[in-house]
Amino acid sequence: MSVATDQPLLAVDDLRVTFPTRTGEVEAVRGVSFTLGRERLGIVGESGSGKSQTGRAIMGLTPSQARITAKTLAFRGRNLLEMPASERRHLRGKQVAMILQDPKYSLNPVMTIGRQIIETLKTHEKVSNAEAKARTLAMLEAVQIRDPERVFSLYPHEVSGGMGQRVMIAMMLICGPELLIADEPTSALDVTVQLEVLAILDKLVAERGMGLIFISHDLRLVSSFCNRVLVMYAGRVVEELATADLSQAQHPYTRGLLNCLPTIGSDRHPLPVLDRKPEWAL
Ligand SMILES: Nc1ncnc2c1ncn2[C@@H]1O[C@H](COP(=O)(O)OP(=O)(O)O)[C@@H](O)[C@H]1O
Ligand SMILES: [Mg+2]
């Protein structure tokens, strides 16, 4: 299939995700719009601002009770909302992949690590057993697992959190997706392990020329990792900026997040309290 070079990898226009609840409808995502090329886009915002539901809508993993609408939700020009379910499943994993926050809930506890990566690969590609195993071991090595043969035959509970998250990255990248959504991929890890895992992700995204959506509540982390940042508040994008222009952020919420960043050599006591204005959520 040929694709016009000016076509974005992903186009999102007026995306809305609404949950019915006993007390009425909750709009988790309220008109999010952006386009993405082969670049790194960060989505930041506090807990509950709609970051994960935005990522899930792109993946086709919106909970079934929710209603999802958009003027455009297209991957390489293909309308995701009108795509048959089987085609959507094929796209997921093969061309678009998502790393979730906690590998404990994402890996199958009763299947060895090697087998689950092989199954992911075989779902999307016709490969021999020997080739599948060789590619799985190579992928484990690519996420800097030193002893891939040993880790291949372990169960998820037998590895550390950092190792589990690297296994998740390996599993999500085995089919060579063009777009990777990483939803707080290292939030459950210790700071030092977090940096190791991010360095691995960073290298793989660069080497493979993937588009990346990096979701985090941590503006500093996002700005060290991405070219562009969307700041979300109460289900909306309140500001979109190149990371290089972060210091010129206009929205008071973004400015508030920036003021919370510690700077070396300055004494920050007390920590500033983020002030929220009801009109930001309008
Ligand atoms: N299963 C659900 N049922 C009802 N509301 C939900 C559900 N999941 C998410 N929401 C609503 O969507 C909002 C955004 O959720 P989410 O995208 O997970 O936020 P974030 O990832 O930014 O922390 C939440 O504040 C909540 O109100
Ligand atoms: Mg989330």
Side-chain angles (χ1 to χ4, degrees):
M1 190 180 67
S2 74
V3 173
T5 47
D6 58 351
Q7 189 173 66
L9 205 52
L10 184 72
V12 181
D13 184 14
D14 199 19
L15 174 68
R16 291 167 189 273
V17 180
T18 311
F19 287 90
T21 68
R22 266 175 300 164
T23 51
E25 298 205 315
V26 173
E27 268 200 298
V29 179
R30 306 192 298 151
V32 164
S33 305
F34 64 92
T35 57
L36 180 83
R38 293 190 182 277
E39 59 181 320
R40 295 149 182 244
L41 174 73
I43 302 185
V44 279
E46 63 193 0
S47 175
S49 56
K51 307 180 299 293
S52 294
Q53 291 304 335
T54 299
R56 286 177 167 273
I58 296 163
M59 279 302 283
L61 295 174
T62 302
S64 58
Q65 74 273 27
R67 191 176 70 242
I68 167 168
T69 64
K71 289 194 187 108
T72 312
L73 185 61
F75 177 75
R76 286 166 149 273
R78 291 151 74 194
N79 183 341
L80 292 172
L81 294 181
E82 282 172 11
M83 188 177 276
S86 61
E87 208 177 315
R88 191 87 195 264
R89 266 197 307 279
H90 184 70
L91 200 72
R92 182 162 61 233
K94 177 69 185 152
Q95 286 176 290
V96 187
M98 184 161 175
I99 300 172
L100 300 167
Q101 182 163 352
D102 196 338
K104 278 200 224 52
Y105 300 109
S106 313
L107 295 170
N108 182 340
V110 297
M111 202 189 273
T112 62
I113 284 166
R115 222 182 111 214
Q116 19 199 325
I117 301 179
I118 284 182
E119 292 223 335
T120 306
L121 179 57
K122 287 197 156 186
T123 307
H124 296 286
E125 289 181 42
K126 279 206 161 51
V127 286
S128 67
N129 290 336
E131 189 193 337
K133 174 146 193 198
R135 273 176 64 182
T136 298
L137 290 173
M139 194 67 234
L140 289 173
E141 231 177 306
V143 294
Q144 293 172 28
I145 286 174
R146 259 172 238 109
D147 190 356
E149 286 276 2
R150 188 179 67 85
V151 173
F152 185 94
S153 35
L154 296 179
Y155 287 89
H157 73 269
E158 297 177 297
V159 302
S160 67
M163 178 89 85
Q165 200 54 306
R166 290 190 216 185
V167 167
M168 270 302 290
I169 295 174
M171 190 153 85
M172 291 303 124
L173 298 188
I174 189 82
C175 294
E178 294 164 81
L179 169 63
L180 178 69
I181 303 173
D183 188 359
E184 314 242 8
T186 58
S187 303
L189 306 176
D190 295 341
V191 176
T192 45
V193 182
Q194 207 177 71
L195 294 177
E196 271 170 38
V197 172
L198 286 176
I200 293 166
L201 191 60
D202 189 47
K203 180 164 172 278
L204 292 171
V205 168
E207 279 171 5
R208 294 166 180 232
M210 284 183 277
L212 174 75
I213 298 179
F214 185 82
I215 297 176
S216 174
H217 59 275
D218 185 337
L219 181 58
R220 184 171 39 165
L221 196 62
V222 164
S223 53
S224 69
F225 211 72
C226 297
N227 319 106
R228 203 153 52 96
V229 184
L230 300 181
V231 181
M232 285 189 73
Y233 185 80
R236 285 193 203 284
V237 175
V238 294
E239 187 151 34
E240 177 174 351
L241 284 165
T243 340
D245 302 332
L246 213 53
S247 60
Q248 281 127 55
Q250 296 298 316
H251 195 280
Y253 179 67
T254 317
R255 299 221 55 91
L257 288 176
L258 281 171
N259 289 335
C260 293
L261 301 186
T263 44
I264 291 166
S266 78
D267 193 12
R268 297 232 52 142
H269 287 292
L271 265 175
V273 172
L274 259 187
D275 175 32
R276 291 171 179 74
K277 300 239 163 28
E279 61 268 26
W280 299 350
L282 293 181

